[in-house]
């Protein structure tokens, strides 16, 4: 009996051995070299205490799945764990091929295929942006003529805003068409009407098919601006008595029900939903994932509820009981957060790092992380999760939490110096 883990993250925030307490048997880990190096971690030379650890230079290469199947046979794999968006379908495919418990391909596809996701949401009465699967340049131009600008171009199975473009005018459209539609018809990209308003996100845990804990937050920045935003990016939870809070929680329940039909094997999982709140008060689904949110959303959720989403999902996918949910999620109301929380992030920008801030000593700082060090030459942010610094804060109210986040963000920015690379 063994657990096979597909790991596309640094190792520091993911102590699988600790999370798998109570489980006997082998633990086999396949990891992505670039994600380890991206945060400044040393690539391990040993096995880190796992039964088998293998590092891959290209985690998207077909050889990773071939090797995973070979190791699954060698070690008698009974459970597959994958926490990264790029690997949930691969893990589901492994489970299906091996006949294992947990979600199979058809169960997770609605959470990865944005076109299918939107189709199912619309059938359930959830509003989404007007969109098309953009196959040809002519279809793109026709859609632009009907919808006007701005438009959003994105990958159908994308994540972390990689490849996302906001097309503001005819010149931007022509440039996109020239780059993206010079070959045969495509099936892998979407073109959407731009939805104005603030982006909210709802994060939570599902146990036994029922939402066990969830809470909404609101980005105070534009996710797609990661490459051009040198300032602090603030993300803060909504108050309990905010009228938007129950609306977002109810909408998320509606979307989850639409994407998980009767008989779905996706029973125990985290989720991260993104929803536009428009100036006229509408809620428009952007997308939803069947995994925990990135950045420091997991640490924010831990501050709110004492639940680390990655730990709970690891235990669930490894066939272990979840602390506090040994008998399922129960039928009572959702728990209320014990405080408000949020995160403030700064993105990498190219150059030589001269100085970075020290760890803050404020009692309300729940965590602080640096992803570079003085003397290091770094590249620009490659996606919306390529951070220079990150911090999680707590406070009694949203207003105070946001004030603390902005204060801390200003301090971080003032104490960060990056000059042109030599």
């Amino acid at each position: 009996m063994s657990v096979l883990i597909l790991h596309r993250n640094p190792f520091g925030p993911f102590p699988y051995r600790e999370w798998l307490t109570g489980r006997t048997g082998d633990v086999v880990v396949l990891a992505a070299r670039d994600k380890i190096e991206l945060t400044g971690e040393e690539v391990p030379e040993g096995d880190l205490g796992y039964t088998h650890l293998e590092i891959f230079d290209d985690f998207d290469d077909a050889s990773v799945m071939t090797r995973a199947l070979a190791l699954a046979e060698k070690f008698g794999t009974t459970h597959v764990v994958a926490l990264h968006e790029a690997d949930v379908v691969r893990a589901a495919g492994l489970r299906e091929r091996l006949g294992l418990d947990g979600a199979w391909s058809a169960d997770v596809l609605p959470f990865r295929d944005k076109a299918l996701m939107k189709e199912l949401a619309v059938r359930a009465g959830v509003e989404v942006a007007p969109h098309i699967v953009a196959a040809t340049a002519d279809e793109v131009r026709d859609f632009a003529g009907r919808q006007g600008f701005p438009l959003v171009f994105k990958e159908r199975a994308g994540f972390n805003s990689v490849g996302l473009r906001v097309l503001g005018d005819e010149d931007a459209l022509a440039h996109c068409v020239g780059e993206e539609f010079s070959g045969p018809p495509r099936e892998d990209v979407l073109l959407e009407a731009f939805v104005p308003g603030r982006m909210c996100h709802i994060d939570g845990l599902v146990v036994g098919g029922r939402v066990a804990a969830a809470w909404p937050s609101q980005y105070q920045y534009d996710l797609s601006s990661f490459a051009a935003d040198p300032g602090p990016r603030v993300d803060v939870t909504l108050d309990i008595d905010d009228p938007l809070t129950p609306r977002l929680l109810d909408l998320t329940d509606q979307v989850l029900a639409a994407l998980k039909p009767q008989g779905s094997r996706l029973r125990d999982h985290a989720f991260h939903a993104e929803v536009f709140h428009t100036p006229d008060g509408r809620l428009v689904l952007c997308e939803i994932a069947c995994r925990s949110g990135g950045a420091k959303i997991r640490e924010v959720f831990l501050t709110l509820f004492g639940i680390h989403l990655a730990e709970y999902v690891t235990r669930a996918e490894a066939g272990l009981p979840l602390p506090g949910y040994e008998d399922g999620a129960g039928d009572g109301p959702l728990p209320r957060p014990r405080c408000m929380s949020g995160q403030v992030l700064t993105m990498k920008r190219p150059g030589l790092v001269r100085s970075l801030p020290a760890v803050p000593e404020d009692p309300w700082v729940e965590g602080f992380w640096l992803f570079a060090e003085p003397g290091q030459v770094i590249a620009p942010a490659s996606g919306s999760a390529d951070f220079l610094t990150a911090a999680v804060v707590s406070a009694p109210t949203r207003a105070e939490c946001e004030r603390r986040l902005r204060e801390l963000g200003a301090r971080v920015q003032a104490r960060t110096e990056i000059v042109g690379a030599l």
Side-chain angles (χ1 to χ4, degrees), residues 291-312:
R291 47 81 183 167
S292 56
K296 292 302 175 182
I297 286 174
R298 289 178 286 263
E299 288 75 11
V300 168
F301 206 82
L302 180 64
T303 302
L304 295 178
F305 297 109
I307 295 171
H308 195 294
L309 290 171
E311 176 184 5
Y312 273 54

Side-chain angles (χ1 to χ4, degrees), residues 127-128 195-196 244 247 275-284:
E127 184 177 359
V128 304
V195 179
L244 196 54
R247 292 183 62 200
V275 177
F276 296 105
H277 181 219
T278 67
D280 60 357
R282 292 177 295 121
L283 297 181
V284 180

Side-chain angles (χ1 to χ4, degrees), residues 1 48 68 83 127-128 156-157 175 182 231 238 241 245 266 270 302 319 325 346 350 353 356 363 367 370 372 419:
M1 294 177 60
L48 295 180
L83 302 180
E127 184 177 359
V128 304
R156 187 168 173 175
H175 183 71
S182 57
L238 299 186
D241 59 357
T245 294
L266 185 60
L302 180 64
Y325 298 106
T346 61
V353 180
L356 290 169
L370 297 173
V419 297

Side-chain angles (χ1 to χ4, degrees), residues 317-358:
E317 293 188 346
L320 290 169
L322 304 182
Y325 298 106
E326 288 82 358
D327 298 321
D331 298 319
L334 292 181
R336 290 189 170 194
R338 50 197 182 188
C339 63
M340 290 292 101
S341 186
Q343 57 182 335
V344 58
L345 312 163
T346 61
M347 306 305 299
K348 287 181 179 173
R349 58 185 191 272
L352 173 66
V353 180
R354 283 271 180 83
S355 64
L356 290 169

Side-chain angles (χ1 to χ4, degrees), residues 175-361:
H175 183 71
C176 178
V177 166
E179 282 195 338
E180 303 289 348
F181 295 93
S182 57
R186 303 185 62 170
E187 297 181 349
D188 61 331
V189 292
L190 290 180
L191 195 64
E192 299 181 352
F194 182 85
V195 179
R198 186 67 74 187
M199 174 81 83
C200 301
H201 61 95
I202 307 92
D203 300 276
L205 177 70
V206 173
V207 178
R210 179 183 179 275
V211 176
W215 205 254
S217 301
Q218 191 178 69
Y219 297 117
Q220 305 301 303
Y221 60 89
D222 179 5
L223 282 174
S224 64
S225 68
F226 63 87
D229 188 355
R233 294 156 73 86
V234 168
D235 175 29
V236 63
T237 52
L238 299 186
D239 281 319
I240 293 172
D241 59 357
D242 189 317
L244 196 54
T245 294
R247 292 183 62 200
L248 288 167
L249 293 173
D250 289 345
L251 180 70
T252 304
D253 284 343
Q254 190 177 356
V255 174
L256 287 170
L259 270 57
K260 296 199 302 180
Q262 190 74 24
S264 172
R265 298 170 63 98
L266 185 60
R267 303 282 294 165
D268 302 289
H269 63 95
F271 62 84
H272 173 72
E274 294 180 339
V275 177
F276 296 105
H277 181 219
T278 67
D280 60 357
R282 292 177 295 121
L283 297 181
V284 180
L285 175 69
C286 177
E287 56 192 61
I288 185 171
C290 58
R291 47 81 183 167
S292 56
K296 292 302 175 182
I297 286 174
R298 289 178 286 263
E299 288 75 11
V300 168
F301 206 82
L302 180 64
T303 302
L304 295 178
F305 297 109
I307 295 171
H308 195 294
L309 290 171
E311 176 184 5
Y312 273 54
V313 171
T314 297
R315 290 185 64 83
E317 293 188 346
L320 290 169
L322 304 182
Y325 298 106
E326 288 82 358
D327 298 321
D331 298 319
L334 292 181
R336 290 189 170 194
R338 50 197 182 188
C339 63
M340 290 292 101
S341 186
Q343 57 182 335
V344 58
L345 312 163
T346 61
M347 306 305 299
K348 287 181 179 173
R349 58 185 191 272
L352 173 66
V353 180
R354 283 271 180 83
S355 64
L356 290 169
V359 176
E361 297 182 354

Side-chain angles (χ1 to χ4, degrees), residues 117-169:
M117 177 191 303
K118 292 173 188 294
E119 177 185 341
L120 295 174
V122 168
R123 288 184 197 170
V126 175
E127 184 177 359
V128 304
H131 62 281
I132 60 165
V133 176
T136 66
D138 286 343
E139 289 181 2
V140 170
R141 296 189 189 99
D142 178 68
F143 184 80
R146 289 184 281 112
Q147 293 295 328
F149 295 99
L151 296 172
V152 178
F153 173 88
K154 64 174 65 172
E155 294 182 10
R156 187 168 173 175
F159 54 90
N160 289 347
S161 300
V162 176
L164 185 147
R165 306 189 193 188
V166 178
L167 311 177
D169 53 31

